[in-house]
Amino acid sequence: MANSYKTCACCGSEWNSLADLIRDEQVELIGYQPAFSDRYEGLFLFAHSARECGTTIALPVSSFAVLHDRPEHGAQLAGTQQCEGLCQAFYEFGACEQECGMHWVRDIITILVDRGPEELLARLDQAEP
């Protein structure tokens, strides 16, 4: 029997892959916790809304890097006057227009909120756990 990618600590639900977890309509992105010292060390937080569950699942943003195929911006603008402050707001999922080192995360958030497009989510099936 193959191991699952993730098992819910509360109800025991299992997902075979990260893509399966994202495709699950009972799993919803509820927050982003950045790590400004390393743009790949932040966390995405998801709520598992299955009946009699409601747990929170935290996954590192680095797990989703395969979804981003645009050039990354080098300079981080967090804490500067150019920063729109979106990454500092846990529940804010809007797109950022700034050329910032954290911009790629905002692109990933859009994919997660929209659950697609499917051709991007399919990349998660090939990604290493």
Side-chain angles (χ1 to χ4, degrees), residues 92-106:
E92 177 57 59
F93 301 137
C96 179
E97 301 303 321
Q98 300 300 320
E99 292 186 8
C100 174
M102 302 298 281
H103 190 272
W104 75 278
V105 175
R106 307 310 300 181

Side-chain angles (χ1 to χ4, degrees), residues 103-120:
H103 190 272
W104 75 278
V105 175
R106 307 310 300 181
D107 291 342
I108 301 296
I109 287 172
T110 300
I111 294 166
L112 296 176
V113 168
D114 295 343
R115 296 182 197 276
E118 180 55 38
E119 58 269 15
L120 286 179

Side-chain angles (χ1 to χ4, degrees), residues 11-24:
C11 70
S13 291
E14 294 183 350
W15 297 275
N16 292 327
S17 68
L18 178 54
D20 287 344
L21 188 138
I22 299 308
R23 290 179 184 119
D24 187 338

Side-chain angles (χ1 to χ4, degrees), residues 28-103:
E28 178 184 3
L29 181 67
I30 59 167
Y32 166 57
Q33 181 179 343
F36 293 114
S37 61
D38 183 338
R39 63 181 133 197
Y40 294 98
E41 293 298 319
L43 293 172
F44 287 130
L45 289 99
F46 299 86
H48 185 216
S49 62
R51 187 170 182 210
E52 298 181 20
C53 188
T55 196
T56 301
I57 300 167
L59 297 171
V61 297
S62 59
S63 298
F64 299 89
V66 68
L67 295 177
H68 193 262
D69 58 1
R70 298 180 189 163
E72 289 187 35
H73 304 290
Q76 184 170 158
L77 300 178
T80 70
Q81 288 185 339
Q82 296 97 336
C83 180
E84 296 176 21
L86 297 175
C87 290
Q88 296 152 348
F90 184 80
Y91 299 107
E92 177 57 59
F93 301 137
C96 179
E97 301 303 321
Q98 300 300 320
E99 292 186 8
C100 174
M102 302 298 281
H103 190 272

